[in-house]
Amino acid sequence: MTTLPAAFLDAASALLGPERWRTDEPTRQAHGQDDSRRFALPDAVAFPRDAEEVAALVRACAAHRVALVARGAGTATTGAAVPFNGGVVLSFARMNRIVEIRAADRCAIVQPGVLNGDLQEALAPHGLFWPPDPSSAAMCSVGGNLATNAGGPRAVKYGASRDNVLGLVAVTGSGEIIRCGGPYTKDATGYDLTHLIVGSEGTLALIVEATLKLTPRPRAQAGLRAFYRDVASAAAAVSRVMAQPVVPAMLEFMDAHAIALLRHNGSDVPEAGAMLLIEADGDEDTLPYALQSLADAAEGDGMLSLDVAADGVARDRLWAARKALSPALRTIKPGKINEDVVVPVSRIPDLVSAMEALSVQADLPIVCFGHAGNGNLHVNIMYNDADAAETARAKAAMPKIFETVLALGGTLSGEHGIGVAKRDFMAQAFDAATLAAMRAVKAALDPAGILNPGKVLPPLAG
Amino acid sequence: MTTLPAAFLDAASALLGPERWRTDEPTRQAHGQDDSRRFALPDAVAFPRDAEEVAALVRACAAHRVALVARGAGTATTGAAVPFNGGVVLSFARMNRIVEIRAADRCAIVQPGVLNGDLQEALAPHGLFWPPDPSSAAMCSVGGNLATNAGGPRAVKYGASRDNVLGLVAVTGSGEIIRCGGPYTKDATGYDLTHLIVGSEGTLALIVEATLKLTPRPRAQAGLRAFYRDVASAAAAVSRVMAQPVVPAMLEFMDAHAIALLRHNGSDVPEAGAMLLIEADGDEDTLPYALQSLADAAEGDGMLSLDVAADGVARDRLWAARKALSPALRTIKPGKINEDVVVPVSRIPDLVSAMEALSVQADLPIVCFGHAGNGNLHVNIMYNDADAAETARAKAAMPKIFETVLALGGTLSGEHGIGVAKRDFMAQAFDAATLAAMRAVKAALDPAGILNPGKVLPPLAG
């Protein structure tokens, strides 16, 4: 049974009608979870069709102090879309139109519910793509990508979601429709609300339309796979690769545990202390040179071997190791805490050796891999979630990851966001004055505090 | 005579001492102007040495409701650094240290008073550069670049200031020191205050330290000069250039008036309706291919001729036309209103033809040139500032530029900012709800309203 005020229920129902304002149990059950496997039941689920309906619903929520949690495709890994305070889940499933593809202006205007994969498909005939490529691309929404500042391996060359949005139409917590930025790539006009709202996880304003920056599709790709004696020599190679002018299209790292795991599962990978997967893109003429520059930079003290693969089957085989990793992880332990932390590129060796020490201390395998070019590593603590002691040790190790990362001058999240999963570590990542400034901005845009309450910012002490 | 409260004067003087807290006439006179030729006398000028002194001064200003205008090198073109309300000018001249160059992390940590040109010089031995390249680079400060989101021709490939900053230490209007971002290139941790503060022209917070994103210096450059029958065919070429994967390092446009002016002044330029200057960068191996891709894209219906110039003297000669343009403008008329408006790239022809019509209507020459790849054109209304009628016609024409740009889906400024020069057009560029959201953010970070009052946001009506 919903506990929402009757006057609010009447208003919402009158606004959206019975088909798009749902309080039935199955619909509520289907909209309470995200990919963090957290769950909370909303009191109602709304399916607005346009910005005006979103604004009217937000105004009703603000008037009645009802919590409102925006939801894209529910693939967040942090609980960001889970309605812990009940209230309304606002699904963008019915706002999933590509409004316009403006090839000559290299931008697309989309509603937030468009799936990343569907957008890419629509852009392909224009020879364009939208760079953010989270591993969930086929099923995650552009609105969700923007809300969490999602990235992916291509971010090393093309940036994450925030770097690939030119303008937004958004609904603030007061139910006002605001418009910032537009179909242009240079802007020094007023405050940059666009980039502020991106990554704010639905706590400042709800994105109801986005103008996305598009990039011409490269005509050709090729890959390199380099093996190193140890993490330090691989990290030195990462710094060399990033210091020369050919920016790799991807630059992925795997530690010795990841390599051992792949070997154990039959992958075609030699024994090594660390591995880099490096991708070049460009056109047929320049790709060999780009690849050579990247290979030259990859080479250095501690490199054991280097494979080159042109586009097609050979390249797929090379990247197969990366794709095999996540399934392979499940063969060690059923439970996994995956933290997408960030450190300065030069501190990758320190992070990995600290994780090795933590692994010994916690008596649990820790596997590190990820987007080395951005210093954005995925640290995976592996544990048996049916074993209470292992689970407790894994949970106790988690804060130590964050402590290490912050001590190395890094930060909590590179592309997953904060949600509730990392919320209580925000007070370690930011000092009190900075958190207070964030809270002031939140209060400015959401004075009633109804937008995704309890996410991103830690509760005030006392 | 200063009109500041005595208690405030005592506090500021005790904080900074007589050498760095100045109320003498010559110092005040020297800190009241920017490159817009606007002037207002401050009551005092402060030269803090570090973040703590800035914070203490801001707290004193907030307590006594004294206006505070931050100042870099004073090269703004909008009046952004002019203290129209009197109060204190805070000069960052004594905070001009490069704190650290972290080549392995491709970032530099700098104080705001560092000159752009000095920074570039310090970075060169590391094979790195900071992309923003406003024409005043030799004498403008990095803090000023960040405050206005300054760009330059390279922005088409490398982005403007906002795209090239990773983190900030800043002092809010409450005198609190906040820290956001850091020496890493991917971040999904909390609200993006970094990019919000960039471009806010000292109205939200004062940048006291910035972590700048650096880029490896290309090993070689080369240029193309293409002439077109008319603006439409040049603009179509701009769209083609931007739609293929080789991003030009610069892509500059000149209209027929600019070309005629250069010819009149003896430049080596043929008669044409429009010209594009296109730069490629890369390394020795790939540059010829990049240049060929750009030349192929430049070629098309309406192209009259194309010159190619390799690095060195030939390239300098090719770019000489661009450099000769600003001095040449002065030979037509002594007065100039230069608006750095932005339109979607596909609307460049509409903008230029509207400006031709406006030129006829105002009976004044209007010359358009600038950063075509970003749709960021400089529209120059030329007039005799000793002639009252011409001056009046020029001033009357200015709002029509903005009306045109906004009607074409563009915006007021691409790289100069708003200051007071464009402030009163903000209500045309943004609707009331969006301006209200900007005002709320301003109040959140500067509750006393002391930071650069009267800039960026128009005064509230009524």
Side-chain angles (χ1 to χ4, degrees), chain A residues 108-449:
Chain A
I109 300 169
V110 302
Q111 291 186 322
V114 173
L115 298 189
N116 181 309
D118 291 347
L119 174 65
Q120 308 295 359
E121 216 167 284
L123 295 174
H126 300 274
L128 296 166
F129 72 107
W130 190 53
D133 59 339
S135 55
S136 57
M139 53 192 162
C140 61
S141 73
V142 170
N145 294 165
L146 294 171
T148 58
N149 192 21
R154 279 197 301 235
V156 68
K157 177 163 183 175
Y158 296 105
S161 295
R162 185 177 285 130
D163 305 305
N164 289 284
V165 57
L166 301 174
L168 294 179
V169 182
V171 174
T172 66
S174 330
E176 297 285 346
I177 299 175
I178 63 172
R179 292 160 197 281
C180 34
Y184 36 79
T185 53
K186 212 170 171 190
D187 190 358
T189 310
Y191 300 153
D192 181 8
L193 301 180
T194 304
H195 294 98
L196 174 67
I197 292 169
V198 172
S200 68
E201 305 185 15
T203 65
L204 296 181
L206 308 186
I207 297 168
V208 291
E209 189 177 285
T211 301
L212 305 176
K213 181 182 174 189
L214 306 177
T215 296
R217 286 168 79 92
R219 297 190 189 113
Q221 287 106 4
L224 295 172
R225 195 169 72 164
F227 295 91
Y228 296 88
R229 190 180 55 218
D230 48 33
V231 173
S233 49
V238 170
S239 282
R240 288 196 302 272
V241 167
M242 297 305 295
Q244 52 82 52
V246 177
V247 184
M250 305 189 194
L251 176 46
E252 298 289 299
F253 165 88
M254 286 188 206
D255 73 0
H257 303 285
I259 295 170
L261 185 60
L262 289 173
R263 284 172 56 79
H264 181 259
N265 285 336
S267 274
D268 145 40
V269 171
E271 215 167 324
M275 167 165 108
L276 295 180
L277 284 165
I278 311 174
E279 176 113 335
D281 66 11
D283 54 42
E284 294 74 9
D285 294 324
T286 56
L287 196 63
Y289 296 105
L291 211 55
Q292 189 60 52
S293 290
L294 293 172
D296 289 349
E299 203 163 326
D301 183 47
M303 192 181 84
L304 306 174
S305 67
L306 181 83
D307 307 331
V308 182
D311 214 344
V313 180
R315 176 172 160 256
D316 293 347
R317 200 156 50 216
L318 187 146
W319 283 93
R322 175 70 173 86
K323 288 193 188 111
L325 193 58
S326 278
L329 282 175
R330 287 194 209 110
T331 66
I332 339 180
K333 297 273 185 182
K336 178 176 85 167
I337 293 176
N338 168 7
E339 299 303 345
D340 76 312
V341 295
V342 181
V343 291
V345 164
S346 67
R347 312 308 297 270
I348 291 175
D350 304 295
L351 174 63
V352 177
S353 43
M355 292 305 102
E356 280 165 3
L358 183 59
S359 168
V360 172
Q361 195 196 322
D363 192 20
L364 289 172
I366 297 183
V367 183
C368 295
F369 63 92
H371 316 310
N374 292 117
N376 179 205
L377 291 201
H378 293 262
V379 174
N380 295 269
I381 311 179
M382 310 304 303
Y383 64 102
N384 182 351
D385 52 8
D387 178 326
E390 282 206 6
T391 305
R393 292 206 306 280
K395 299 221 155 143
M398 194 175 73
K400 292 176 187 161
I401 301 178
F402 298 130
E403 275 164 35
T404 304
V405 163
L406 295 173
L408 293 172
T411 194
L412 304 177
S413 172
E415 56 184 11
H416 293 172
I418 300 303
V420 293
K422 301 185 180 182
R423 186 194 65 180
D424 296 332
F425 302 98
M426 287 288 280
Q428 286 165 254
F430 296 99
D431 55 30
T434 308
L435 281 179
M438 289 186 187
R439 283 202 180 89
V441 168
K442 160 81 174 168
L445 294 178
D446 177 25

Side-chain angles (χ1 to χ4, degrees), chain A residues 105-106 149 162 179 185-189 191-192 203 242 285 289 345-346 371 374 376 413 415 434, chain B residues 105-106 149 162 179 185-189 191-192 203 242 285 289 345-346 371 374 376 413 415 417 434:
Chain A
D105 295 319
R106 287 178 309 132
N149 192 21
R162 185 177 285 130
R179 292 160 197 281
T185 53
K186 212 170 171 190
D187 190 358
T189 310
Y191 300 153
D192 181 8
T203 65
M242 297 305 295
D285 294 324
Y289 296 105
V345 164
S346 67
H371 316 310
N374 292 117
N376 179 205
S413 172
E415 56 184 11
T434 308
Chain B
D105 295 318
R106 287 177 310 133
N149 192 23
R162 184 177 286 132
R179 291 161 198 281
T185 53
K186 212 170 170 188
D187 189 358
T189 310
Y191 300 153
D192 181 7
T203 65
M242 297 306 294
D285 294 325
Y289 295 105
V345 164
S346 67
H371 317 309
N374 293 116
N376 179 204
S413 172
E415 56 184 10
T434 308

Side-chain angles (χ1 to χ4, degrees), chain B residues 192-226:
Chain B
D192 181 7
L193 301 180
T194 304
H195 294 98
L196 174 67
I197 292 168
V198 171
S200 68
E201 305 183 17
T203 65
L204 297 181
L206 307 186
I207 297 167
V208 291
E209 188 178 285
T211 301
L212 304 176
K213 181 182 175 189
L214 305 177
T215 296
R217 285 167 78 92
R219 297 191 188 110
Q221 286 105 5
L224 296 171
R225 194 170 73 164

